Amino acid sequence: MMPPAQLDHVSLAVPTAAPAWPLLRTRLGGEWAIGGTAPEFRFSTLRYANGMCLELLEPRREPAFVDRFLDRAGPGLHHLTFKVPDLLAATDAAGTAGYPCFLGCF
């Protein structure tokens, strides 16, 4: 059985984030939350009035994992991040159900 989970954010892979800002910020009301840069990618996160967060991932240099994802699947949903009280139980339950998990602590 899957332990209770809280959706933290939805992440979209995009070639460049700038063209998405007018829609996500101005028209849909997202507010800047956080952003950062890693060697391979850049991320920017918007928070909405209901507390939901949307993250944009864009490649910084090739070959980045974001480039490989975009080549394979095109722009779109990259991952969902959940907060759970028992990480091992959650990943075991997700794996048993056929959903791949990446364990990360940020």
Side-chain angles (χ1 to χ4, degrees):
M1 178 164 180
M2 181 75 77
Q6 176 185 356
L7 181 62
D8 181 68
H9 69 272
V10 173
S11 183
L12 303 176
V14 294
T16 57
W21 281 91
L23 172 65
L24 299 175
R25 185 173 159 81
T26 306
R27 295 191 65 201
L28 297 179
E31 294 291 328
W32 172 257
I34 190 170
T37 302
E40 287 190 358
F41 69 98
R42 185 171 323 168
F43 72 95
S44 52
T45 305
L46 297 125
R47 185 178 321 278
Y48 291 87
N50 66 356
M52 176 63 199
C53 288
L54 179 69
E55 175 184 66
L56 298 175
L57 291 176
E58 61 182 307
R60 259 191 86 210
R61 68 169 198 225
E62 291 185 27
F65 73 90
V66 181
D67 287 306
R68 292 188 297 276
F69 179 87
L70 291 168
D71 289 345
R72 185 178 66 249
L77 179 64
H78 184 268
H79 68 267
L80 304 173
T81 298
F82 293 92
K83 292 181 180 179
V84 296
D86 185 337
L87 184 58
L88 292 178
T91 56
D92 285 346
T96 299
Y99 298 104
C101 291
F102 171 79
L103 298 178
C105 297
F106 301 99

